[in-house]
Amino acid sequence: MLRVYEVHARDLTDEAGVLDAFARAVGVPGYFGWNWDALVDCLDDLHEVVTGGVGIVMVVHGADVLLGADHLKVFIMVLCLAADLRTPRWIRTATSGISPW
């Protein structure tokens, strides 16, 4: 079943804030690494283990606050990586022409 989680942009002011807000929202495991890579892995696990592959939605309230944030590009990249992991590797490679690994 699709899971919907919510965070507020005021809690996402830096990397530590993003990790903390997502950890509180989704309930990360005890071995969570508290870095961007760990967040990608956690979101991937949530998709597969928790929802059986159906997926998750993360609603970011007040997201316009993040437009000037120094970490915005990295944050978006993390979300895209987590989403891209759901696409089979052979499709990513065939469509981009560049090996993702």
Side-chain angles (χ1 to χ4, degrees), residues 16-33:
V18 170
L19 297 173
D20 184 60
F22 273 63
R24 284 184 282 116
V26 303
V28 296
Y31 56 84
F32 184 65

Side-chain angles (χ1 to χ4, degrees), residues 4-86:
V4 179
Y5 301 96
E6 298 182 42
V7 295
H8 198 285
R10 69 174 171 262
D11 299 325
L12 310 177
T13 58
D14 57 17
E15 178 182 356
V18 170
L19 297 173
D20 184 60
F22 273 63
R24 284 184 282 116
V26 303
V28 296
Y31 56 84
F32 184 65
W34 296 100
N35 58 50
W36 293 120
D37 289 333
L39 183 57
V40 171
D41 291 342
C42 181
L43 294 173
D44 183 48
D45 290 348
L46 277 171
H47 177 273
E48 193 61 37
V49 176
V50 175
T51 69
V54 174
I56 64 170
V57 173
M58 181 63 71
V59 177
V60 179
H61 296 284
D64 57 328
V65 171
L66 298 173
L67 291 176
D70 291 337
H71 66 287
L72 180 62
K73 288 182 183 178
V74 175
F75 178 48
I76 291 172
M77 182 181 68
V78 164
L79 297 177
C80 289
L81 283 170
D84 194 44
L85 288 174
R86 304 301 354 128

